[in-house]
Amino acid sequence: MASFARLWPDARLMNLLDDSLGRPGARWPATDAMTGRFLSLGRYAANTGADAILFTCSAFGPCIEAVARETRADAGAQAQ
């Protein structure tokens, strides 16, 4: 939040969370089911009018790329 306030103060922020994606037992590498979960989150964000989507774990690269392709939003990842 502090970084956005400093670097992109006009951004309207919204937080979406699916904390089960990183749990032990989550299927990895990316499966169709996991990609589908990311796409659902991405569609939701895009339908709210989001211009950008920031995922905070770069380990899900293939899923994030699928969201970027489908939503045409600027979907990026940042490792934590």
Side-chain angles (χ1 to χ4, degrees), residues 49-76:
D51 293 317
I53 303 169
L54 175 65
F55 292 96
T56 57
C57 183
S58 60
F60 299 107
C63 299
I64 295 166
E65 291 166 6
V67 172
R69 282 191 304 272
E70 182 178 296
T71 64
R72 301 187 192 263
D74 181 15

Side-chain angles (χ1 to χ4, degrees), residues 23-60:
R23 287 189 185 149
R27 302 185 96 179
W28 193 248
T31 63
D32 289 342
M34 183 175 283
T35 300
R37 291 170 66 189
F38 270 83
L39 286 169
S40 292
L41 287 170
R43 288 178 192 129
Y44 181 84
N47 287 334
T48 69
D51 293 317
I53 303 169
L54 175 65
F55 292 96
T56 57
C57 183
S58 60
F60 299 107

Side-chain angles (χ1 to χ4, degrees), residues 1-11 13 15 54 56 78:
M1 300 294 270
S3 293
F4 273 102
R6 185 172 42 87
L7 300 171
W8 192 2
D10 295 334
L13 304 179
N15 297 298
L54 175 65
T56 57
Q78 177 181 0

